[in-house]
Amino acid sequence: NAGVTQTPKFQVLKTGQSMTLQCAQDMNHNSMYWYRQDPGMGLRLIYYSASEGTTDKGEVPNGYNVSRLNKREFSLRLESAAPSQTSVYFCASGRNTDTQYFGPGTRLTVL
Amino acid sequence: KQEVTQIPAALSVPEGENLVLNCSFTDSAIYNLQWFRQDPGKGLTSLLLIQSSQREQTSGRLNASLDKSSGRSTLYIAASQPGDSATYLCAVRASGYALNFGKGTSLLVTP
């Protein structure tokens, strides 16, 4: 099993550009999550999806949108990137409220 | 809002030592607590999950304890090895699906 996969691994954007971060899991998990990790701030939840067809805001949702395309895939979209969105983005999945399994991360720089 | 604090922020020990990492949280009404390991430039790997009804969990040289009433958890690593060098993160699930993370303890085990 591949577990949780994320694409791309690295991305550089200019301010105002848009992009979508892709995440897929092959563990048949109901719940999926997007976090960002910043130095000195720890990991913060952006959005999550408790089950296919539902999404909810986390701690820092402003500037982002998400889509739970199907049970396997959960994408994160930046419509108009800002330098404050420079971060490492992690996708995770889990069986409801149990252990969360994380992907390798996407390192995003916004110039 | 649930606040999670990890002490110390960094720790350096010689190989073979037993060590304890600390995690405290402000709201004792939690569902579970999870310890993760993060290697530089990598994603998070789940180490141990303790449900709110449990006092401890063990996996190999790792033992995690939970004292909900005092808002504390400890991760005990026995006979540390250089391969244990990483950042260790504590995360609490207080309600719903979101995890609240501490900022981590950076561990260096020297040969």
Side-chain angles (χ1 to χ4, degrees), chain A residues 31 33 37 40 97-99 107, chain B residues 32 34 38 41 46 93 103:
Chain A
S31 306
Y33 309 81
Q37 185 176 36
T97 58
D98 282 342
T99 301
R107 282 146 188 81
Chain B
N32 56 46
Q34 196 165 354
Q38 185 176 28
S46 178
R93 188 188 299 276
K103 295 179 182 177

Side-chain angles (χ1 to χ4, degrees), chain A residues 2 6 12 15-17 21 25 27-28 31 38 41 43 45 52 54 59 64 73 83 86 89 91 95 105:
Chain A
Q6 293 183 235
V12 178
T15 296
Q17 287 185 318
L21 281 63
Q25 52 92 8
M27 295 174 281
N28 201 35
S31 306
D38 303 291
M41 299 292 291
L43 278 101
L45 183 65
E52 187 178 352
T54 68
E59 183 183 353
Y64 305 95
E73 298 172 288
T86 293
Y89 291 86
C91 177
R95 284 189 304 125

Side-chain angles (χ1 to χ4, degrees), chain B residues 16-65:
Chain B
E17 270 203 11
N18 302 324
L19 57 102
V20 174
L21 307 181
N22 296 293
C23 172
S24 61
F25 46 95
T26 54
D27 187 346
S28 61
I30 65 169
Y31 288 155
N32 56 46
L33 183 145
Q34 196 165 354
W35 282 94
F36 292 90
R37 168 186 173 138
Q38 185 176 28
D39 293 286
K42 305 290 187 184
L44 281 68
T45 300
S46 178
L47 297 173
L48 291 164
L49 171 72
I50 310 177
Q51 301 291 354
S52 62
S53 58
Q54 297 175 320
R55 292 298 299 242
E56 64 177 335
Q57 281 285 342
T58 298
S59 176
R61 292 183 295 109
L62 305 179
N63 175 276
S65 67

